[in-house]
Amino acid sequence: MSQPQGALDDEVGPTPLTIGRRVRSLRQARGMTVAQLGEAIGRAASQISVIENGRRELRVSELRTLATALGATLDDLLDPEPPSRRDALELELQRVQEGPLFASLDLPRLAVRRSLPDEAIETVLALHAELVRLHERRASTPEEARRANTDLRGAQRERANYYPELEATARELLGAIGHGGGPLSHSAASSLARHLGFSVHYVHDLPVTTRSVTDGRHGRIYLPIRHDGGDRRVVLLQALATSVLGHDEPDGYAELLRQRVEANYLAAALMMPEDSAVELLVEAKAARELSVEDLRDAFSVSYEAAAHRFTNLATQHLGLPVHFLKVSASGVLSKAYENDDVRFPQDALGNVLGQRVCRQWSARQVFERDDRYGIYHQYTDKPNGTYWCTSAVQTDAGGDFSVSVGTQYAHSKWFRGRDTTTRRYSSCPDPGCCRYPAPELEDRWDEAARPSARINSSLLAATPSGSATGIDRVAVYEFLEQHAPEARP
Protein backbone atom coordinates (compact mmCIF):
# COMPACT_ATOMS: atom_id res chain seq x y z
CA MET A 1 0.00 0.00 0.00
CA SER A 2 1.35 3.45 -0.86
CA GLN A 3 2.01 6.15 1.67
CA PRO A 4 -1.30 7.53 2.98
CA GLN A 5 -2.48 10.59 1.12
CA GLY A 6 -3.20 13.74 3.10
CA ALA A 7 -1.69 12.37 6.28
CA LEU A 8 -0.82 15.88 7.35
CA ASP A 9 -3.42 17.82 5.37
CA ASP A 10 -4.64 19.61 8.48
CA GLU A 11 -1.15 20.65 9.59
CA VAL A 12 0.67 23.81 8.56
CA GLY A 13 4.01 22.91 10.12
CA PRO A 14 5.82 20.44 12.33
CA THR A 15 3.97 19.05 15.32
CA PRO A 16 5.50 17.67 18.53
CA LEU A 17 4.93 14.17 17.14
CA THR A 18 6.60 14.81 13.75
CA ILE A 19 9.56 16.37 15.58
CA GLY A 20 9.67 13.39 17.91
CA ARG A 21 9.67 10.98 14.98
CA ARG A 22 12.56 12.92 13.38
CA VAL A 23 14.51 12.74 16.64
CA ARG A 24 13.95 8.99 16.80
CA SER A 25 14.90 8.50 13.14
CA LEU A 26 18.11 10.52 13.48
CA ARG A 27 19.02 8.77 16.74
CA GLN A 28 18.56 5.33 15.23
CA ALA A 29 20.46 6.31 12.07
CA ARG A 30 23.43 7.23 14.25
CA GLY A 31 23.21 4.02 16.28
CA MET A 32 22.43 5.82 19.52
CA THR A 33 20.28 4.41 22.28
CA VAL A 34 17.69 6.46 24.14
CA ALA A 35 19.98 6.48 27.17
CA GLN A 36 22.96 7.69 25.13
CA LEU A 37 21.01 10.57 23.62
CA GLY A 38 19.68 11.50 27.04
CA GLU A 39 23.20 11.53 28.45
CA ALA A 40 24.38 13.71 25.55
CA ILE A 41 21.83 16.44 26.34
CA GLY A 42 21.69 15.95 30.12
CA ARG A 43 18.26 14.38 30.27
CA ALA A 44 16.90 11.07 31.54
CA ALA A 45 16.14 8.35 29.01
CA SER A 46 12.46 8.54 29.98
CA GLN A 47 12.37 12.19 28.88
CA ILE A 48 13.77 11.23 25.47
CA SER A 49 10.94 8.73 25.09
CA VAL A 50 8.43 11.44 25.96
CA ILE A 51 9.93 13.67 23.25
CA GLU A 52 10.01 10.92 20.61
CA ASN A 53 6.37 10.05 21.29
CA GLY A 54 5.30 13.67 20.79
CA ARG A 55 4.07 14.21 24.31
CA ARG A 56 6.11 17.34 24.94
CA GLU A 57 6.51 20.60 23.03
CA LEU A 58 10.15 21.68 22.87
CA ARG A 59 11.61 25.17 23.10
CA VAL A 60 13.91 26.36 20.32
CA SER A 61 16.93 26.14 22.63
CA GLU A 62 16.11 22.50 23.39
CA LEU A 63 15.72 21.75 19.69
CA ARG A 64 19.15 23.23 18.99
CA THR A 65 20.70 21.12 21.76
CA LEU A 66 19.11 17.98 20.32
CA ALA A 67 20.21 18.85 16.79
CA THR A 68 23.82 19.29 17.94
CA ALA A 69 23.78 15.97 19.83
CA LEU A 70 22.41 14.22 16.73
CA GLY A 71 24.79 15.88 14.30
CA ALA A 72 21.85 17.49 12.49
CA THR A 73 20.51 20.96 11.80
CA LEU A 74 17.49 22.69 13.26
CA ASP A 75 15.81 22.45 9.84
CA ASP A 76 16.29 18.67 9.93
CA LEU A 77 14.20 18.49 13.12
CA LEU A 78 11.56 20.96 11.95
CA ASP A 79 10.87 19.27 8.60
CA PRO A 80 7.13 18.47 8.79
CA GLU A 81 7.41 15.50 6.41
CA PRO A 82 7.42 12.08 8.08
CA PRO A 83 10.97 10.65 8.03
CA SER A 84 9.78 7.24 6.82
CA ARG A 85 6.75 5.43 5.46
CA ARG A 86 6.22 3.74 8.83
CA ASP A 87 6.26 7.14 10.54
CA ALA A 88 3.73 8.43 8.00
CA LEU A 89 1.42 5.53 8.83
CA GLU A 90 1.73 6.11 12.57
CA LEU A 91 1.12 9.86 12.23
CA GLU A 92 -1.96 9.27 10.09
CA LEU A 93 -3.26 6.71 12.58
CA GLN A 94 -2.90 9.21 15.40
CA ARG A 95 -4.74 11.88 13.38
CA VAL A 96 -7.56 9.46 12.60
CA GLN A 97 -7.92 8.30 16.21
CA GLU A 98 -8.14 11.90 17.44
CA GLY A 99 -10.87 12.76 14.93
CA PRO A 100 -14.64 12.97 15.58
CA LEU A 101 -15.53 9.96 13.41
CA PHE A 102 -13.31 7.57 15.36
CA ALA A 103 -14.57 9.02 18.65
CA SER A 104 -18.18 8.39 17.56
CA LEU A 105 -17.44 4.68 17.13
CA ASP A 106 -16.71 4.28 20.86
CA LEU A 107 -13.71 2.03 20.15
CA PRO A 108 -10.53 1.73 22.23
CA ARG A 109 -7.49 3.45 20.76
CA LEU A 110 -5.08 1.21 18.89
CA ALA A 111 -1.69 1.44 20.60
CA VAL A 112 1.22 1.72 18.16
CA ARG A 113 3.98 -0.75 18.98
CA ARG A 114 6.90 -2.09 17.00
CA SER A 115 5.13 -5.43 16.84
CA LEU A 116 2.14 -3.87 15.08
CA PRO A 117 2.56 -4.64 11.36
CA ASP A 118 2.31 -1.93 8.75
CA GLU A 119 -0.48 -3.93 7.13
CA ALA A 120 -2.61 -3.70 10.29
CA ILE A 121 -2.32 0.09 10.35
CA GLU A 122 -3.09 0.25 6.64
CA THR A 123 -6.24 -1.81 7.19
CA VAL A 124 -7.48 0.50 9.96
CA LEU A 125 -6.80 3.56 7.81
CA ALA A 126 -8.58 2.03 4.82
CA LEU A 127 -11.63 1.18 6.94
CA HIS A 128 -11.69 4.72 8.31
CA ALA A 129 -11.50 6.19 4.80
CA GLU A 130 -14.42 4.00 3.71
CA LEU A 131 -16.50 5.13 6.69
CA VAL A 132 -15.80 8.76 5.78
CA ARG A 133 -16.84 8.06 2.18
CA LEU A 134 -20.08 6.41 3.28
CA HIS A 135 -20.95 9.28 5.62
CA GLU A 136 -20.39 11.79 2.84
CA ARG A 137 -22.39 9.80 0.29
CA ARG A 138 -25.27 9.28 2.70
CA ALA A 139 -26.08 13.00 2.73
CA SER A 140 -24.01 14.61 0.01
CA THR A 141 -25.99 17.84 -0.37
CA PRO A 142 -26.42 18.56 3.35
CA GLU A 143 -22.81 17.51 3.82
CA GLU A 144 -21.61 20.14 1.34
CA ALA A 145 -23.54 22.78 3.28
CA ARG A 146 -22.27 21.53 6.62
CA ARG A 147 -18.66 21.47 5.46
CA ALA A 148 -18.98 25.03 4.18
CA ASN A 149 -20.46 26.13 7.50
CA THR A 150 -17.71 24.36 9.44
CA ASP A 151 -15.04 26.10 7.35
CA LEU A 152 -16.78 29.45 7.79
CA ARG A 153 -17.01 29.06 11.57
CA GLY A 154 -13.27 28.36 11.64
CA ALA A 155 -12.56 31.52 9.65
CA GLN A 156 -14.83 33.57 11.91
CA ARG A 157 -13.11 32.18 14.99
CA GLU A 158 -9.69 33.17 13.69
CA ARG A 159 -10.78 36.79 13.28
CA ALA A 160 -12.94 36.84 16.46
CA ASN A 161 -15.97 37.35 14.19
CA TYR A 162 -14.83 40.93 13.55
CA TYR A 163 -14.57 42.37 10.02
CA PRO A 164 -12.79 45.75 10.13
CA GLU A 165 -13.19 46.34 6.40
CA LEU A 166 -16.98 46.03 6.69
CA GLU A 167 -17.02 48.30 9.74
CA ALA A 168 -15.14 50.90 7.69
CA THR A 169 -17.62 50.57 4.81
CA ALA A 170 -20.55 51.01 7.20
CA ARG A 171 -18.93 54.09 8.73
CA GLU A 172 -18.42 55.61 5.28
CA LEU A 173 -22.01 54.94 4.19
CA LEU A 174 -23.48 56.37 7.38
CA GLY A 175 -21.31 59.45 7.04
CA ALA A 176 -22.55 59.97 3.49
CA ILE A 177 -26.14 60.40 4.71
CA GLY A 178 -25.15 62.44 7.76
CA HIS A 179 -26.06 59.80 10.32
CA GLY A 180 -24.60 60.93 13.61
CA GLY A 181 -24.80 57.66 15.51
CA GLY A 182 -27.35 55.67 17.42
CA PRO A 183 -30.12 53.56 15.87
CA LEU A 184 -30.77 53.78 12.15
CA SER A 185 -34.37 54.79 11.45
CA HIS A 186 -36.56 53.60 8.58
CA SER A 187 -36.24 57.00 6.95
CA ALA A 188 -32.44 56.90 7.27
CA ALA A 189 -32.36 53.46 5.63
CA SER A 190 -34.47 54.86 2.77
CA SER A 191 -32.09 57.83 2.50
CA LEU A 192 -29.20 55.41 2.18
CA ALA A 193 -31.01 53.58 -0.62
CA ARG A 194 -31.51 56.90 -2.47
CA HIS A 195 -27.87 57.82 -1.90
CA LEU A 196 -26.86 54.55 -3.56
CA GLY A 197 -29.19 55.22 -6.51
CA PHE A 198 -32.10 52.92 -5.61
CA SER A 199 -35.82 53.39 -5.18
CA VAL A 200 -37.66 50.99 -2.88
CA HIS A 201 -40.89 49.22 -3.91
CA TYR A 202 -43.02 47.00 -1.66
CA VAL A 203 -44.96 44.31 -3.55
CA HIS A 204 -47.38 41.46 -2.84
CA ASP A 205 -46.04 39.00 -5.38
CA LEU A 206 -42.35 38.72 -4.55
CA PRO A 207 -41.16 35.19 -5.52
CA VAL A 208 -41.53 32.92 -2.52
CA THR A 209 -37.89 31.78 -2.70
CA THR A 210 -36.53 35.33 -2.41
CA ARG A 211 -36.18 37.87 0.39
CA SER A 212 -35.73 40.77 -2.00
CA VAL A 213 -35.11 41.39 -5.70
CA THR A 214 -32.79 44.12 -6.98
CA ASP A 215 -33.18 45.54 -10.47
CA GLY A 216 -29.72 46.92 -11.16
CA ARG A 217 -30.70 48.21 -14.58
CA HIS A 218 -33.47 50.48 -13.31
CA GLY A 219 -32.16 51.08 -9.79
CA ARG A 220 -35.07 49.40 -8.03
CA ILE A 221 -35.23 47.20 -4.95
CA TYR A 222 -38.37 45.11 -4.50
CA LEU A 223 -39.31 44.05 -0.99
CA PRO A 224 -42.27 42.02 0.29
CA ILE A 225 -45.24 43.64 1.99
CA ARG A 226 -44.78 41.80 5.23
CA HIS A 227 -47.58 40.63 7.48
CA ASP A 228 -45.49 38.93 10.16
CA GLY A 229 -44.20 42.03 11.91
CA GLY A 230 -40.67 41.64 10.56
CA ASP A 231 -38.28 44.60 10.47
CA ARG A 232 -38.31 46.05 6.95
CA ARG A 233 -34.98 47.77 7.57
CA VAL A 234 -33.18 44.45 7.79
CA VAL A 235 -34.14 43.13 4.35
CA LEU A 236 -33.56 46.53 2.73
CA LEU A 237 -30.12 46.95 4.27
CA GLN A 238 -29.15 43.40 3.32
CA ALA A 239 -30.14 44.12 -0.30
CA LEU A 240 -28.15 47.36 -0.25
CA ALA A 241 -25.18 45.58 1.32
CA THR A 242 -25.21 42.98 -1.45
CA SER A 243 -25.05 45.76 -4.02
CA VAL A 244 -22.34 47.73 -2.20
CA LEU A 245 -20.17 44.63 -1.83
CA GLY A 246 -20.55 43.76 -5.51
CA HIS A 247 -21.76 40.24 -4.91
CA ASP A 248 -22.28 38.28 -8.13
CA GLU A 249 -24.15 35.02 -8.56
CA PRO A 250 -22.32 32.57 -6.23
CA ASP A 251 -20.68 29.55 -7.88
CA GLY A 252 -21.27 27.23 -4.94
CA TYR A 253 -22.67 26.94 -1.46
CA ALA A 254 -19.48 28.12 0.22
CA GLU A 255 -19.54 31.31 -1.85
CA LEU A 256 -23.25 31.79 -1.17
CA LEU A 257 -22.65 31.44 2.55
CA ARG A 258 -19.70 33.86 2.52
CA GLN A 259 -21.76 36.46 0.67
CA ARG A 260 -24.69 36.03 3.06
CA VAL A 261 -22.44 36.49 6.10
CA GLU A 262 -20.82 39.62 4.66
CA ALA A 263 -24.16 41.18 3.68
CA ASN A 264 -25.68 40.41 7.08
CA TYR A 265 -22.61 41.79 8.85
CA LEU A 266 -22.67 45.04 6.89
CA ALA A 267 -26.41 45.42 7.48
CA ALA A 268 -25.88 44.92 11.22
CA ALA A 269 -23.01 47.43 11.25
CA LEU A 270 -25.34 49.97 9.63
CA MET A 271 -28.17 49.32 12.10
CA MET A 272 -25.87 49.23 15.13
CA PRO A 273 -22.92 51.51 14.23
CA GLU A 274 -19.63 50.40 15.72
CA ASP A 275 -18.76 53.63 17.53
CA SER A 276 -22.15 53.97 19.20
CA ALA A 277 -22.43 50.27 20.06
CA VAL A 278 -18.91 50.07 21.48
CA GLU A 279 -19.48 53.16 23.62
CA LEU A 280 -22.58 51.52 25.11
CA LEU A 281 -20.81 48.20 25.67
CA VAL A 282 -17.69 49.71 27.24
CA GLU A 283 -19.80 51.68 29.70
CA ALA A 284 -21.85 48.58 30.48
CA LYS A 285 -18.73 46.51 31.09
CA ALA A 286 -17.32 49.16 33.43
CA ALA A 287 -20.57 48.94 35.40
CA ARG A 288 -20.56 45.13 35.17
CA GLU A 289 -23.93 45.33 33.43
CA LEU A 290 -23.29 43.86 29.98
CA SER A 291 -26.48 42.51 28.42
CA VAL A 292 -27.75 41.63 24.98
CA GLU A 293 -31.16 43.14 25.75
CA ASP A 294 -29.69 46.62 26.34
CA LEU A 295 -28.02 46.47 22.92
CA ARG A 296 -31.33 45.33 21.46
CA ASP A 297 -33.29 48.17 23.06
CA ALA A 298 -30.73 50.88 22.31
CA PHE A 299 -30.83 50.19 18.56
CA SER A 300 -34.42 48.93 18.16
CA VAL A 301 -33.40 45.57 16.68
CA SER A 302 -34.32 41.96 17.37
CA TYR A 303 -32.69 40.02 20.18
CA GLU A 304 -31.06 37.71 17.63
CA ALA A 305 -29.57 40.65 15.69
CA ALA A 306 -28.26 42.17 18.92
CA ALA A 307 -26.74 38.85 19.98
CA HIS A 308 -24.98 38.49 16.62
CA ARG A 309 -23.67 42.05 16.83
CA PHE A 310 -22.43 41.45 20.36
CA THR A 311 -20.23 38.60 19.10
CA ASN A 312 -18.79 40.96 16.44
CA LEU A 313 -17.63 43.44 19.06
CA ALA A 314 -17.11 41.54 22.32
CA THR A 315 -13.67 40.10 21.65
CA GLN A 316 -12.28 42.97 19.56
CA HIS A 317 -13.34 45.80 21.88
CA LEU A 318 -14.04 44.18 25.26
CA GLY A 319 -11.48 41.37 25.29
CA LEU A 320 -14.18 38.78 25.97
CA PRO A 321 -14.29 35.35 24.29
CA VAL A 322 -17.90 34.35 23.66
CA HIS A 323 -20.17 31.84 21.98
CA PHE A 324 -23.53 32.15 20.23
CA LEU A 325 -26.10 29.57 19.29
CA LYS A 326 -29.59 29.47 17.84
CA VAL A 327 -31.62 26.40 18.75
CA SER A 328 -35.10 25.26 17.79
CA ALA A 329 -37.69 24.31 20.40
CA SER A 330 -36.79 20.66 19.68
CA GLY A 331 -33.14 21.38 20.52
CA VAL A 332 -31.68 21.35 17.00
CA LEU A 333 -28.77 23.72 16.41
CA SER A 334 -29.14 25.95 13.33
CA LYS A 335 -26.54 28.70 13.94
CA ALA A 336 -23.37 28.62 16.01
CA TYR A 337 -20.20 30.60 16.68
CA GLU A 338 -17.55 30.33 19.37
CA ASN A 339 -14.10 31.51 20.29
CA ASP A 340 -14.28 30.56 23.98
CA ASP A 341 -13.62 26.82 23.49
CA VAL A 342 -17.19 25.77 24.22
CA ARG A 343 -17.84 22.39 22.62
CA PHE A 344 -20.92 22.25 20.45
CA PRO A 345 -22.45 18.86 19.65
CA GLN A 346 -21.09 17.44 16.42
CA ASP A 347 -21.65 14.53 14.12
CA ALA A 348 -19.09 11.91 13.13
CA LEU A 349 -17.44 14.30 10.67
CA GLY A 350 -17.23 17.27 13.03
CA ASN A 351 -20.29 19.19 11.77
CA VAL A 352 -22.42 20.98 14.36
CA LEU A 353 -25.39 22.30 12.39
CA GLY A 354 -28.40 20.02 12.63
CA GLN A 355 -27.20 18.45 15.86
CA ARG A 356 -29.28 18.43 19.03
CA VAL A 357 -27.77 20.32 21.97
CA CYS A 358 -27.69 18.99 25.50
CA ARG A 359 -30.98 19.21 27.39
CA GLN A 360 -29.11 20.73 30.33
CA TRP A 361 -27.82 23.74 28.39
CA SER A 362 -29.55 27.09 28.86
CA ALA A 363 -30.48 27.06 25.15
CA ARG A 364 -32.96 24.29 25.96
CA GLN A 365 -33.69 24.96 29.62
CA VAL A 366 -35.14 28.35 28.65
CA PHE A 367 -38.05 26.50 27.01
CA GLU A 368 -38.85 24.73 30.29
CA ARG A 369 -39.63 27.92 32.23
CA ASP A 370 -43.12 29.22 32.92
CA ASP A 371 -41.96 32.65 31.73
CA ARG A 372 -40.32 31.27 28.60
CA TYR A 373 -40.18 34.66 26.86
CA GLY A 374 -38.21 36.39 29.59
CA ILE A 375 -34.40 36.60 29.74
CA TYR A 376 -32.88 33.48 31.27
CA HIS A 377 -29.44 33.12 32.88
CA GLN A 378 -27.67 29.89 33.82
CA TYR A 379 -24.30 28.45 34.79
CA THR A 380 -23.53 25.07 33.25
CA ASP A 381 -20.74 22.76 34.37
CA LYS A 382 -19.46 21.13 31.18
CA PRO A 383 -16.65 18.60 30.65
CA ASN A 384 -14.17 21.36 29.74
CA GLY A 385 -15.22 23.95 32.33
CA THR A 386 -18.06 26.07 33.63
CA TYR A 387 -19.87 28.48 31.32
CA TRP A 388 -22.36 31.27 31.99
CA CYS A 389 -25.08 31.81 29.39
CA THR A 390 -27.99 34.15 28.77
CA SER A 391 -30.85 32.91 26.60
CA ALA A 392 -34.10 34.26 25.21
CA VAL A 393 -36.92 32.62 23.26
CA GLN A 394 -37.91 34.28 19.99
CA THR A 395 -40.59 33.46 17.41
CA ASP A 396 -40.62 33.60 13.64
CA ALA A 397 -42.63 31.97 10.86
CA GLY A 398 -40.95 28.66 11.63
CA GLY A 399 -41.94 28.66 15.30
CA ASP A 400 -40.10 29.25 18.58
CA PHE A 401 -36.33 29.20 18.88
CA SER A 402 -33.82 30.26 21.50
CA VAL A 403 -30.89 32.61 21.06
CA SER A 404 -28.04 32.26 23.53
CA VAL A 405 -24.82 34.12 24.23
CA GLY A 406 -22.32 32.73 26.71
CA THR A 407 -18.79 32.91 27.98
CA GLN A 408 -16.40 31.14 30.32
CA TYR A 409 -17.06 31.43 34.04
CA ALA A 410 -14.10 33.77 34.58
CA HIS A 411 -15.69 36.40 32.33
CA SER A 412 -19.23 36.18 33.70
CA LYS A 413 -18.40 38.92 36.23
CA TRP A 414 -18.99 41.57 33.55
CA PHE A 415 -22.56 40.54 32.75
CA ARG A 416 -25.95 41.32 34.18
CA GLY A 417 -27.43 38.06 35.40
CA ARG A 418 -24.14 36.75 36.78
CA ASP A 419 -25.80 36.45 40.21
CA THR A 420 -28.16 33.70 39.05
CA THR A 421 -28.30 30.68 41.31
CA THR A 422 -29.42 28.42 38.46
CA ARG A 423 -26.73 25.85 37.77
CA ARG A 424 -26.87 22.60 35.86
CA TYR A 425 -24.45 19.83 34.96
CA SER A 426 -23.85 18.50 31.46
CA SER A 427 -21.62 15.55 30.62
CA CYS A 428 -22.44 15.58 26.88
CA PRO A 429 -21.26 14.14 24.55
CA ASP A 430 -21.46 11.27 27.04
CA PRO A 431 -24.59 9.41 25.83
CA GLY A 432 -25.63 8.85 29.42
CA CYS A 433 -26.17 12.58 29.94
CA CYS A 434 -29.43 13.12 28.09
CA ARG A 435 -29.54 11.17 24.84
CA TYR A 436 -31.41 8.20 26.27
CA PRO A 437 -34.70 8.11 28.19
CA ALA A 438 -34.75 7.11 31.83
CA PRO A 439 -34.71 3.28 32.00
CA GLU A 440 -38.12 3.10 33.69
CA LEU A 441 -39.70 5.26 30.97
CA GLU A 442 -38.06 3.25 28.21
CA ASP A 443 -39.36 0.00 29.72
CA ARG A 444 -42.85 1.47 30.01
CA TRP A 445 -43.15 3.08 26.57
CA ASP A 446 -40.69 1.50 24.16
CA GLU A 447 -43.25 -0.88 22.63
CA ALA A 448 -46.27 1.43 22.95
CA ALA A 449 -44.91 4.71 21.59
CA ARG A 450 -45.89 5.45 17.98
CA PRO A 451 -44.94 9.11 17.33
CA SER A 452 -45.45 10.64 13.87
CA ALA A 453 -42.39 12.55 12.69
CA ARG A 454 -42.45 16.14 11.48
CA ILE A 455 -40.45 16.10 8.25
CA ASN A 456 -37.34 18.23 8.56
CA SER A 457 -37.42 20.80 5.75
CA SER A 458 -34.17 22.62 6.50
CA LEU A 459 -31.13 21.66 4.45
CA LEU A 460 -28.69 22.65 7.17
CA ALA A 461 -30.69 21.15 9.99
CA ALA A 462 -30.57 17.68 8.47
CA THR A 463 -31.57 14.79 10.69
CA PRO A 464 -29.55 14.88 13.94
CA SER A 465 -27.17 12.01 14.42
CA GLY A 466 -28.54 8.90 16.09
CA SER A 467 -32.05 9.24 14.65
CA ALA A 468 -33.41 8.55 11.17
CA THR A 469 -36.48 10.74 11.76
CA GLY A 470 -35.04 13.43 14.01
CA ILE A 471 -37.56 12.56 16.72
CA ASP A 472 -36.39 13.25 20.26
CA ARG A 473 -37.46 10.04 22.00
CA VAL A 474 -36.63 11.46 25.42
CA ALA A 475 -39.24 14.17 24.91
CA VAL A 476 -41.73 11.68 23.42
CA TYR A 477 -41.52 9.30 26.36
CA GLU A 478 -41.78 12.10 28.91
CA PHE A 479 -44.80 13.50 27.06
CA LEU A 480 -46.52 10.11 27.06
CA GLU A 481 -45.76 9.59 30.71
CA GLN A 482 -47.23 12.96 31.63
CA HIS A 483 -50.41 12.55 29.57
CA ALA A 484 -51.10 8.85 30.17
CA PRO A 485 -54.61 8.30 31.67
CA GLU A 486 -53.13 6.34 34.54
CA ALA A 487 -50.47 8.97 35.25
CA ARG A 488 -50.15 9.68 38.94
CA PRO A 489 -50.76 13.28 40.10
Side-chain angles (χ1 to χ4, degrees):
M1 188 176 186
S2 60
Q3 179 169 315
Q5 297 296 312
L8 296 175
D9 284 348
D10 295 331
E11 304 293 347
V12 296
T15 66
L17 186 56
T18 58
I19 292 173
R21 288 295 187 263
R22 291 220 155 257
V23 169
R24 185 178 70 179
S25 178
L26 290 168
R27 175 181 62 77
Q28 292 174 343
R30 283 152 181 74
M32 299 177 69
T33 65
V34 170
Q36 288 171 335
L37 179 56
E39 184 178 352
I41 66 170
R43 293 288 187 272
S46 59
Q47 294 186 34
I48 301 300
S49 296
V50 168
I51 292 171
E52 292 187 350
N53 288 316
R55 294 198 295 269
R56 183 183 163 203
E57 193 165 346
L58 299 172
R59 297 189 296 270
V60 174
S61 59
E62 293 175 306
L63 288 169
R64 288 198 179 100
T65 300
L66 271 170
T68 300
L70 293 167
T73 67
L74 192 59
D75 287 342
D76 290 333
L77 295 184
L78 295 178
D79 187 346
E81 290 299 316
S84 69
R85 180 173 175 279
R86 171 69 182 201
D87 288 309
L89 288 170
E90 292 183 3
L91 288 168
E92 176 71 351
L93 181 61
Q94 183 197 47
R95 186 186 70 82
V96 161
Q97 293 190 113
E98 291 176 351
L101 177 55
F102 190 91
S104 72
L105 300 175
D106 196 26
L107 295 173
R109 289 178 65 93
L110 179 62
V112 179
R113 301 183 177 89
R114 291 183 181 179
S115 58
L116 183 66
D118 290 1
E119 291 77 8
I121 301 178
E122 291 169 347
T123 298
V124 172
L125 296 179
L127 288 171
H128 181 271
E130 179 62 13
L131 283 173
V132 170
R133 188 187 68 80
L134 290 173
H135 271 284
E136 292 178 345
R137 188 181 69 179
R138 187 174 301 158
S140 58
T141 302
E143 192 56 40
E144 176 188 1
R146 289 175 172 180
R147 278 197 299 267
N149 273 278
T150 299
D151 293 342
L152 177 65
R153 285 192 303 105
Q156 289 175 312
R157 187 186 309 112
E158 289 180 3
R159 62 191 306 159
N161 206 21
Y162 179 74
Y163 293 71
E165 66 280 11
L166 297 180
E167 300 287 358
T169 299
R171 194 174 294 111
E172 180 182 347
L173 290 171
L174 293 172
I177 62 171
H179 183 70
L184 190 73
S185 66
H186 288 276
S187 61
S190 297
S191 295
L192 181 59
R194 289 192 296 271
H195 167 73
L196 294 171
F198 292 101
S199 59
V200 181
H201 304 265
Y202 293 94
V203 297
H204 289 282
D205 57 345
L206 197 74
V208 295
T209 58
T210 65
R211 296 185 300 171
S212 67
V213 174
T214 299
D215 178 354
R217 177 177 300 169
H218 301 102
R220 288 174 158 234
I221 294 178
Y222 296 97
L223 302 175
I225 297 177
R226 305 181 69 91
H227 300 285
D228 59 3
D231 192 337
R232 293 182 177 181
R233 293 175 302 167
V234 175
V235 183
L236 172 58
L237 291 173
Q238 289 170 343
L240 292 174
T242 297
S243 177
V244 168
L245 297 172
H247 289 163
D248 296 321
E249 184 70 19
D251 57 6
Y253 189 82
E255 180 68 9
L256 170 65
L257 191 60
R258 181 190 65 80
Q259 291 182 2
R260 178 68 60 84
V261 167
E262 291 178 353
N264 289 349
Y265 190 107
L266 181 53
L270 291 167
M271 294 183 70
M272 294 167 273
E274 181 177 25
D275 294 342
S276 302
V278 169
E279 181 181 0
L280 181 152
L281 293 174
V282 168
E283 290 179 358
K285 184 183 179 187
R288 300 188 178 221
E289 283 289 310
L290 281 173
S291 70
V292 174
E293 58 267 30
D294 282 357
L295 191 63
R296 172 200 63 189
D297 296 341
F299 293 95
S300 301
V301 297
S302 70
Y303 189 89
E304 181 181 359
H308 269 297
R309 188 65 172 142
F310 184 82
T311 68
N312 299 152
L313 305 173
T315 304
Q316 177 70 21
H317 293 288
L318 306 178
L320 300 177
V322 292
H323 67 267
F324 165 95
L325 60 162
K326 179 178 179 179
V327 173
S328 70
S330 62
V332 174
L333 186 62
S334 61
K335 293 183 180 179
Y337 164 77
E338 62 82 19
N339 70 344
D340 61 356
D341 297 324
V342 74
R343 295 174 184 171
F344 294 126
Q346 60 182 17
D347 66 12
L349 296 179
N351 304 306
V352 304
L353 297 187
Q355 300 308 299
R356 188 168 276 131
V357 303
C358 178
R359 296 168 68 88
Q360 306 305 324
W361 287 18
S362 67
R364 296 192 66 180
Q365 287 297 310
V366 66
F367 290 107
E368 303 298 325
R369 304 167 65 236
D370 292 334
D371 178 21
R372 68 185 302 180
Y373 294 103
I375 305 300
Y376 176 70
H377 308 294
Q378 176 182 308
Y379 289 99
T380 309
D381 296 316
K382 301 176 181 179
N384 63 325
T386 299
Y387 286 80
W388 175 90
C389 291
T390 179
S391 300
V393 173
Q394 308 289 288
T395 302
D396 62 12
D400 286 351
F401 61 90
S402 69
V403 172
S404 303
V405 171
T407 190
Q408 296 155 337
Y409 175 84
H411 302 292
S412 63
K413 61 185 179 182
W414 307 111
F415 289 83
R416 183 184 306 153
R418 63 188 177 277
D419 56 349
T420 180
T421 58
T422 303
R423 189 164 191 156
R424 303 188 75 88
Y425 173 75
S426 167
S427 62
C428 278
D430 174 13
C433 179
C434 66
R435 284 177 55 187
Y436 301 125
E440 61 274 15
L441 294 185
E442 186 166 20
D443 290 343
R444 180 174 172 82
W445 293 107
D446 191 39
E447 296 298 327
R450 296 291 185 272
S452 177
R454 180 189 296 272
I455 300 301
N456 202 327
S457 60
S458 170
L459 174 67
L460 296 183
T463 302
S465 59
S467 169
T469 63
I471 288 175
D472 183 348
R473 299 189 71 84
V474 176
V476 169
Y477 291 163
E478 290 181 349
F479 170 85
L480 290 170
E481 181 71 11
Q482 180 180 356
H483 290 273
E486 66 274 24
R488 293 182 295 275

